[in-house]
Amino acid sequence: MSEAVRTMLQTHAEAAREAAAQADAGFLWDFWYPAARSTAVRGQKLVTAMLLEVPLVLGRTSEGKVFAMRDSCPHRGMPLSYGRLDGRVVECCYHGWRFDACSGQCVEIPSLSSQDKLKVERIFAGHYPCQERDGYVWVYMNAPGTKLPETAPAAPALTVFSDKYRITHLSCELPSHIDHGIIGLMDPAHGPFVHQSWFWRKRGSIHEKAKQFEPIPNGFRMSPHSPSTNSAPYQLLKKITGEPVTTTIDFVLPNIRTEEDRSGKMWFSSRATVTPVRRDLCRIDFVAAWNLFFLPVSIFRIFGKIFLRQDQETMIQQAEGLKHNPRLMLIDDADRPAKWYFALKANLIESRRTGEAMAHPMDGPVTLRWRS
């Protein structure tokens, strides 16, 4: 067996082992994930990121196009992030191998002599589709050892309702598996306990609520409704506009919660993405846009950071208990969204395995009731 064939088989075996290990981690592949803020990727700077336990190096070409590569030279595994970018090509710092930034194709191996017959153009560093939306660099993560689709879908975009608006971004890390991060994000009953404050709601304001949910592709929607009477910001908006406030909340696989609030010509739109970094670490990336003239970005960020910090502290505390692998239970109706999420995820994986259409866990609209 030639050395080239042996190396190829070894590479395929390693990819298969990695794919199996990461499948055990409960990750969903073939989706877009936010890897970094756009403002962090500038000039000829190489930026590192970790998504689904895959190390990435991000950069921007001299034409301004962002790119994402696996942070590993296929020669000897040196992280490419230690190398340099000349505006078009990423060069490994170890032996000077050079790769086209937008395709991962090798364009030069300096050590080759005129007698060498190695076809450099057949060598590729790991490469992932990359797009910018709403101030984020999004990376399309396909499973290790699989081929990228010929055409990747567009990366998610935040919905806005006017040409002029304010926008801001917040983030925090959660020391938990992606599943716990997501069901924490959609949990409707923790608000009066985790987020109790003078500007949001008090524990004593708990009352029974009824909301209608409906199935949507790869997810579910809390149908348009009047927001809770014990949420001060919504009531303030209603007083300012003199018109009812309508809220619509969606969850869509793999990890996206969006909320749209409308009152007359005033609107607020947000997206929270729970991004898997490792199997024991995820990150909330939150972006919000609005045309509320009375809400400066600086004020919103103060309260937004408090809100995220409360979630973060709760997940840190929960992680202490989860490390002992306790038995968990989900109840109806407050935990029904969590059950839908787990069913959606399992059904998607099964659909991809069999090639059959994905079964949705919801037959149609349903009303859930809980106290919060």
Side-chain angles (χ1 to χ4, degrees), residues 255-319:
N255 59 349
I256 297 177
R257 179 194 185 275
T258 59
E259 179 172 343
E260 298 172 4
D261 304 305
R262 308 287 299 273
S263 182
K265 294 182 179 180
M266 299 287 100
W267 59 269
F268 180 93
S269 178
S270 68
R271 180 187 64 226
T273 306
V274 185
T275 301
V277 179
R278 303 188 308 262
R279 65 194 72 199
D280 62 348
L281 179 68
C282 56
R283 185 184 69 245
I284 294 180
D285 291 301
F286 178 84
V287 57
W290 63 90
N291 73 341
L292 310 177
F293 65 89
F294 54 87
L295 181 58
V297 170
S298 58
I299 298 299
F300 177 84
R301 288 182 62 83
I302 290 173
F303 294 120
K305 287 180 179 179
I306 293 173
F307 216 81
L308 282 182
R309 191 181 310 119
Q310 291 168 337
D311 279 325
Q312 184 183 42
E313 290 173 352
T314 298
M315 298 300 287
I316 291 172
Q317 293 167 347
Q318 184 189 32

Side-chain angles (χ1 to χ4, degrees), residues 335-353:
D335 288 333
R336 188 86 65 88
K339 294 181 179 181
W340 288 334
Y341 162 69
F342 285 118
L344 283 164
K345 184 176 178 180
N347 292 353
L348 175 64
I349 293 172
E350 181 65 10
S351 172
R352 289 177 172 177
R353 186 187 70 82

Side-chain angles (χ1 to χ4, degrees), residues 129-301:
C130 197
Q131 293 181 14
E132 285 187 274
R133 292 282 191 281
D134 310 318
Y136 291 101
V137 176
W138 293 78
V139 178
Y140 188 85
M141 299 297 294
N142 63 303
T146 65
K147 290 185 178 180
L148 286 167
E150 291 186 8
T151 303
L158 182 68
T159 301
V160 296
F161 300 97
S162 61
D163 294 333
K164 294 183 179 180
Y165 55 86
R166 294 167 172 152
I167 189 168
T168 193
H169 308 78
L170 296 167
S171 69
C172 72
E173 291 188 337
L174 307 177
S176 66
H177 186 272
I178 179 68
D179 288 344
H180 289 293
I182 287 176
I183 65 174
L185 183 75
M186 64 179 64
D187 172 23
H190 74 279
F193 302 93
V194 174
H195 299 300
Q196 54 181 300
S197 56
W198 65 267
F199 67 87
W200 188 249
R201 63 183 60 166
K202 298 179 180 179
R203 183 169 180 166
S205 69
I206 294 177
H207 63 280
E208 186 166 321
K209 301 175 182 178
K211 307 292 184 185
Q212 186 178 68
F213 290 77
E214 57 190 280
I216 58 177
N218 277 1
F220 52 86
R221 169 174 295 156
M222 185 186 292
S223 306
H225 61 280
S226 297
S228 300
T229 56
N230 60 341
S231 295
Y234 296 121
Q235 301 310 311
L236 175 62
L237 177 59
K238 183 178 179 179
K239 287 183 179 180
I240 290 175
T241 64
E243 299 189 43
V245 180
T246 300
T247 296
T248 304
I249 299 174
D250 288 359
F251 173 80
V252 178
L253 289 178
N255 59 349
I256 297 177
R257 179 194 185 275
T258 59
E259 179 172 343
E260 298 172 4
D261 304 305
R262 308 287 299 273
S263 182
K265 294 182 179 180
M266 299 287 100
W267 59 269
F268 180 93
S269 178
S270 68
R271 180 187 64 226
T273 306
V274 185
T275 301
V277 179
R278 303 188 308 262
R279 65 194 72 199
D280 62 348
L281 179 68
C282 56
R283 185 184 69 245
I284 294 180
D285 291 301
F286 178 84
V287 57
W290 63 90
N291 73 341
L292 310 177
F293 65 89
F294 54 87
L295 181 58
V297 170
S298 58
I299 298 299
F300 177 84
R301 288 182 62 83

